[in-house]
Amino acid sequence: GIASITLDEDVVALDLVAAIERTNIARNRSGVITNLNAISGYSVLPGDILDVEVSVYNRGITTSTSTQVRINLPGGNSSDYTLNPLFLYQEQTFAVQWIVPMDSLISNRSFSWEVDPNGINSADADTGNNFAMINIFIGTLPTIVFNQTSGQTLQPIMLDAHDTFDEDGGEVSCIFTIEYDDGSRSRAKQKVIS
């Protein structure tokens, strides 16, 4: 009989990968949790809390040797974590938290992680995928410039906040919440968007 053998060019003995596509970042802003990703962008404000999960997996057919993963936070601090031996397609995740300092200036910062920074797994077929980095933009809230206006009951007043601006270049729109008497002897609120 005839036998055929198919060789997969992508099969390697060992390949540890810093899996950027499997990263989860949750931003906590005053109790409101938002998941950040490449589509929404990685934008934060001073005081935000980021809960970050990064993944490492083995794309090779042999089990890796235990090593480290070095995680570099945007503020410049780095920590090493133990990476257990991984067999084919096994994954290990690492969770870290970063609180954006209140005195942060408008800037781009990077969050990165590196698998096996000391080269313990010398048989790694592609060390180019051992490093992953995400750029995080630190912005500011808009600066509100509002001309207070007062008026008599039942007389129209002009609310003017057109001088409001955003130092980091974002678009600004204003929402005014106006309290009024709806005739039911209680107060109601109406939102006006400009």
Side-chain angles (χ1 to χ4, degrees):
I2 299 177
S4 62
I5 297 175
T6 303
L7 298 176
D8 185 347
E9 296 175 358
D10 295 327
V11 173
V12 293
L14 179 64
D15 187 13
L16 293 172
V17 179
I20 194 166
E21 71 280 1
R22 298 180 186 182
T23 304
N24 291 312
I25 299 178
R27 179 185 68 206
N28 182 337
R29 180 175 293 158
S30 302
V32 177
I33 309 294
T34 304
N35 290 316
L36 304 180
N37 56 49
I39 296 170
S40 67
Y42 301 101
S43 297
V44 298
L45 296 174
D48 284 354
I49 301 169
L50 294 185
D51 289 308
V52 183
E53 284 186 3
V54 298
S55 295
V56 173
Y57 69 95
N58 180 7
R59 195 165 36 198
I61 60 174
T62 59
T63 302
S64 67
T65 301
S66 181
T67 185
Q68 268 88 39
V69 171
R70 180 165 295 142
I71 297 178
N72 302 299
L73 297 175
N77 295 331
S78 66
S79 298
D80 287 351
Y81 299 88
T82 300
L83 176 65
N84 298 320
L86 300 177
F87 53 81
L88 177 62
Y89 292 122
Q90 187 177 16
E91 177 179 5
Q92 185 174 342
T93 60
F94 301 88
V96 295
Q97 187 177 77
W98 182 58
I99 300 172
V100 183
M102 292 304 291
D103 60 351
S104 294
L105 300 175
I106 297 170
S107 61
N108 284 300
R109 301 275 182 92
S110 62
F111 174 89
S112 64
W113 63 106
E114 183 178 8
V115 184
D116 197 19
N118 300 317
I120 292 171
N121 288 277
S122 59
D124 192 331
D126 182 4
T127 56
N129 61 18
N130 286 15
F131 182 82
M133 182 173 66
I134 293 174
N135 288 314
I136 296 173
F137 176 71
I138 301 173
T140 61
L141 288 174
T143 300
I144 299 168
V145 180
F146 181 74
N147 297 330
Q148 270 192 311
T149 305
S150 61
Q152 300 285 328
T153 302
L154 300 178
Q155 296 296 314
I157 60 171
M158 174 64 113
L159 302 175
D160 183 6
H162 78 274
D163 289 331
T164 297
F165 61 94
D166 192 353
E167 290 180 48
D168 61 31
E171 291 292 319
V172 177
S173 64
C174 298
I175 299 175
F176 299 100
T177 302
I178 302 168
E179 189 175 280
Y180 67 98
D181 185 351
D182 64 358
S184 66
R185 298 186 186 245
S186 63
R187 294 287 188 200
K189 292 184 179 179
Q190 177 181 5
K191 289 193 177 188
V192 179
I193 301 173
S194 69

